[in-house]
């Protein structure tokens, strides 16, 4: 980190894992804090969203096609200690994917090469 | 080994009758106020026996605080853990102890309805509980108000015993976990605050209410007081027994007819548990607090001696396949992650590993954790991580040389 102080928004992102269907919109909109695993499901950086990214985080929440994300205010009562500074969300990470463009379609279709969630082998039992 | 829950007639003799139960233990004490009983459980330091080990008194207090007299109590006897038998043995042999605990819980949290949630494959337990309910209906002696009880039998599945899955099944017949919050203690059966409590925990409460917290704390040899039911497998004499908490794995090995010189790895807790090496295991006390400190867990009270003969990689691959097949198939990281883990483990076990299978397994053992609605991925990856540690040489030998150290270096696979 560059020593520049990162202001904490006091909110973190929660995911409804059952609803999430790996559309990937969130990682597209908020690459600083959300990564995708090899199956396209989000991995959220630990800690609270830094204040300067809160607006983008809200967009990511609002644009999830299945509304699986929410921003949750971390109440002071919950943890007596102050929340640790956000370690990963600090700086915009060098882009590893194409730059976001104005007018990115908000609900991209599911990539054709990704298998449906409930694969046929899934119910297999030994 | 102290017998409390299992004192009295042999468990092999079947269900204890209401008359026998009352003659041996007496009636429940009369109505005490809620706070008093919950205070007693707190003072006893009873931890839940379903696997998570959450303090029972605290759980009851949080339901009682929310319920305003309209809570639901669900006695969890699903016991879907393949290596555990202790809950079904308890239900089948001491049904009235479980029902006493259920009545006390209903009184303490302010419940108007109770549910007995018993795995449909546990036939002896179901019959014993049905008979016990009929006995109590015909011969009402309890000083506590009568609360209707519904017997619900979920299908055979690993995940049906998870507390949100249990509530989901009772509500709409779907034994799969739901997204939490709201947790069952906030919004459970019929939308009411619901206490989901393992049947063994309830049976302990039935004794604490009679004899008090100090009596409960007389048993136990390490940090945690009391006794616990454990299921021991892998020795010459597998079975369910009641131990003082703090009894060492080595003592159980002796009881089960496992040679102490073997010192082979032991699986503690169940399929959500941890494999520890024989060298550590033999003097490890079975105590929830000490186990957690050692990076393991008491879990569902399973102590499985894995033996020197069996290949740890193969054993692990089999468990991973079971877990992948048991996923409720709701959350992506669980659906795809557990299947990927199971497939890579199977390839390594059978001598057909892909180049990066072992390193990917190591990665998945960390990266999938905490990414499901329930703890299915967490429990599975914890077991995998412990296997990768304890059987490190075997995994490496399988991956890189396609040889099984367990089978004296024999080539595995075709």
């Amino acid at each position: 980190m560059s020593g520049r102080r990162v202001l904490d928004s006091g909110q973190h992102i929660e995911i409804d894992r059952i609803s999430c269907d790996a559309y990937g919109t969130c990682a597209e909109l908020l690459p600083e804090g959300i990564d995708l695993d090899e199956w396209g499901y989000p991995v959220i950086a630990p800690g609270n969203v830094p204040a300067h990214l809160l607006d983008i985080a809200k967009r990511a929440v609002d644009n999830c096609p299945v509304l699986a994300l929410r921003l949750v205010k971390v109440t002071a009562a919950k943890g007596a200690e102050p929340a640790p500074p956000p370690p990963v969300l600090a700086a915009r990470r060098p882009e590893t994917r194409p730059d976001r463009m104005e007018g990115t379609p908000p609900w991209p279709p599911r990539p054709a090469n990704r298998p449906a969630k409930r694969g046929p082998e899934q119910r297999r039992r030994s | 080994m102290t017998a409390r829950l299992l004192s009295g007639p042999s468990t092999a003799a079947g269900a204890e009758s209401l008359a026998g139960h009352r003659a041996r233990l007496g009636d429940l004490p009369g109505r005490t106020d809620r706070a008093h009983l919950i205070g007693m459980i707190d003072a006893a330091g009873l931890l839940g026996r379903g696997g998570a080990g959450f303090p029972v008194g605290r759980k009851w207090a949080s339901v009682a605080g929310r319920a305003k007299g309209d809570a639901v109590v669900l006695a969890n006897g699903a016991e879907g853990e393949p290596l555990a038998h202790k809950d079904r043995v308890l239900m089948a042999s001491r049904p009235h102890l479980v029902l006493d605990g259920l009545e006390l819980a209903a009184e303490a949290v302010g419940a108007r309805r109770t549910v007995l949630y018993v795995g449909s494959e546990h036939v002896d337990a179901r019959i014993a509980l049905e008979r016990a309910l009929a006995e109590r209906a015909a011969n009402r002696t309890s000083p506590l108000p009568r609360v209707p009880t519904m017997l619900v039998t979920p299908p055979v599945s690993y995940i049906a015993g998870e507390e949100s899955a249990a509530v989901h099944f009772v509500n709409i017949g779907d034994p799969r976990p739901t997204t939490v919050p709201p947790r069952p203690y906030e919004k459970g059966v019929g939308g009411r605050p619901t206490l989901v409590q393992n049947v063994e925990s309830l049976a302990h409460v039935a004794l604490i209410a009679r004899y008090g917290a100090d009596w409960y704390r007389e048993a136990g040899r390490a940090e945690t007081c009391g006794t616990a039911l454990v299921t021991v497998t892998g020795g010459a004499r597998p079975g369910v027994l009641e131990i003082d908490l703090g009894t060492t794995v080595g003592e159980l090995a002796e009881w089960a007819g496992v040679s102490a010189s073997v010192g082979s790895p032991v699986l503690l807790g169940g399929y959500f548990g941890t494999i520890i090496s024989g060298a550590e295991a033999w003097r490890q006390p079975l105590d929830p607090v000490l186990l957690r400190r050692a990076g393991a867990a008491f879990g569902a009270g399973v102590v499985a001696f894995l033996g020197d003969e069996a290949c740890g990689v193969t054993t692990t691959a089999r468990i991973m396949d079971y877990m992948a097949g048991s996923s409720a198939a709701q959350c992506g990281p669980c659906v795809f992650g557990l299947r990927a883990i199971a497939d890579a483990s199977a390839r390594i076990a059978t001598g057909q590993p892909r180049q990066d299978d072992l390193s990917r397994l190591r990665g998945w053992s960390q990266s999938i954790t905490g990414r499901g609605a329930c703890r299915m991925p967490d429990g599975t990856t914890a077991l995998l991580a412990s296997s990768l540690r304890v059987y490190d040489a075997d995994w490496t030998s399988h991956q890189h040389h396609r040889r099984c150290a367990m089978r004296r270096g024999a080539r595995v696979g075709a």
Side-chain angles (χ1 to χ4, degrees), chain A residues 3 13 21 35 39 72 86 108 110 122-123:
Chain A
I13 298 174
D21 244 336
D35 212 343
W39 305 286
V72 179
R110 180 197 284 273
Q122 194 44 46
R123 277 288 161 203

Side-chain angles (χ1 to χ4, degrees), chain B residues 58-69:
Chain B
R58 218 192 310 159
K59 199 170 185 179
W60 290 29
S62 59
V63 176
R66 281 165 185 275
K68 301 186 185 77

Side-chain angles (χ1 to χ4, degrees), chain B residues 83 264-278 280-281 291 294-297 302 304-307 311-317 319-320 379-392 394-395:
Chain B
L83 293 175
S264 55
V266 184
L267 169 57
L268 296 179
Y271 280 11
F272 264 23
T274 324
I275 298 172
I276 60 177
S277 73
E280 296 171 69
L291 282 165
V302 166
F305 295 95
L306 298 179
C311 164
V313 175
T314 306
T315 305
T316 309
I319 296 175
M320 292 300 124
T380 308
T381 53
L383 183 82
L384 173 65
S386 71
S387 170
L388 291 170
R389 256 192 327 270
V390 169
Y391 291 115
D392 182 40
D394 304 298
W395 282 100

Side-chain angles (χ1 to χ4, degrees), chain B residues 79-356:
Chain B
E79 194 163 69
E81 161 63 50
L83 293 175
H85 276 76
K86 54 111 180 162
D87 286 340
R88 69 196 78 166
V89 166
L90 176 71
M91 292 185 283
S93 62
R94 298 289 181 272
H96 288 287
L97 216 44
V98 175
L99 295 177
D100 279 354
L102 187 58
E103 277 187 23
L104 288 163
E107 169 70 7
V109 305
R112 283 193 224 159
R113 275 183 296 162
T114 57
V115 179
L116 276 169
Y117 188 74
V118 183
S120 56
E121 71 272 38
H122 311 331
V123 178
D124 291 346
R126 276 171 51 197
I127 293 172
L129 285 167
E130 269 168 13
R131 283 201 187 136
L133 283 171
E135 276 181 291
R136 288 162 97 96
N139 187 4
R140 183 90 198 143
T141 56
S142 168
L144 301 177
R146 190 163 174 176
V147 179
T149 298
M150 172 168 66
L151 182 69
V152 176
T153 53
V156 180
S157 104
Y158 191 85
I159 209 71
E162 196 273 337
E163 63 170 12
S164 73
V167 166
H168 203 197
F169 184 70
V170 174
N171 280 343
I172 64 165
D174 181 354
R176 295 185 298 170
T178 55
T179 298
V180 291
R183 295 187 178 279
Y185 77 88
E186 300 163 317
K187 191 167 180 269
V189 172
R192 303 303 311 156
T194 300
L195 173 70
V196 179
Q197 193 77 65
N198 169 263
V199 288
E200 184 194 340
S201 314
L202 291 173
H204 282 292
V205 172
L207 296 180
I208 292 170
R210 286 184 169 92
Y211 305 127
D214 290 340
W215 168 85
Y216 179 82
R217 297 181 69 86
E218 281 165 18
R221 297 179 2 205
E223 298 250 326
T224 315
C225 294
T227 64
L229 299 180
V230 293
T231 313
V232 181
T233 66
R237 260 179 60 196
V240 171
L241 76 162
E242 187 169 11
I243 58 165
D244 273 81
L245 285 169
T247 301
T248 63
V249 172
E251 288 170 81
L252 281 187
E254 207 171 300
W255 179 88
V258 179
S259 153
S261 61
V262 171
S264 55
V266 184
L267 169 57
L268 296 179
Y271 280 11
F272 264 23
T274 324
I275 298 172
I276 60 177
S277 73
E280 296 171 69
W282 249 244
R283 37 174 210 282
Q284 173 67 49
L286 290 164
D287 176 301
V289 175
L290 296 180
L291 282 165
R292 196 166 301 161
R293 222 172 276 160
F298 188 78
V302 166
V303 181
F305 295 95
L306 298 179
D308 261 354
E309 305 298 311
C311 164
V313 175
T314 306
T315 305
T316 309
R318 208 175 295 137
I319 296 175
M320 292 300 124
D321 189 58
Y322 179 88
M323 294 310 260
S326 300
S327 166
Q330 299 191 106
C331 308
C334 186
V335 172
F336 293 102
L338 298 197
R339 180 44 63 197
I341 287 173
D343 289 349
S345 306
R347 284 194 298 268
I348 296 174
T350 54
Q352 301 145 26
R354 291 184 194 154
Q355 203 184 351
D356 55 352

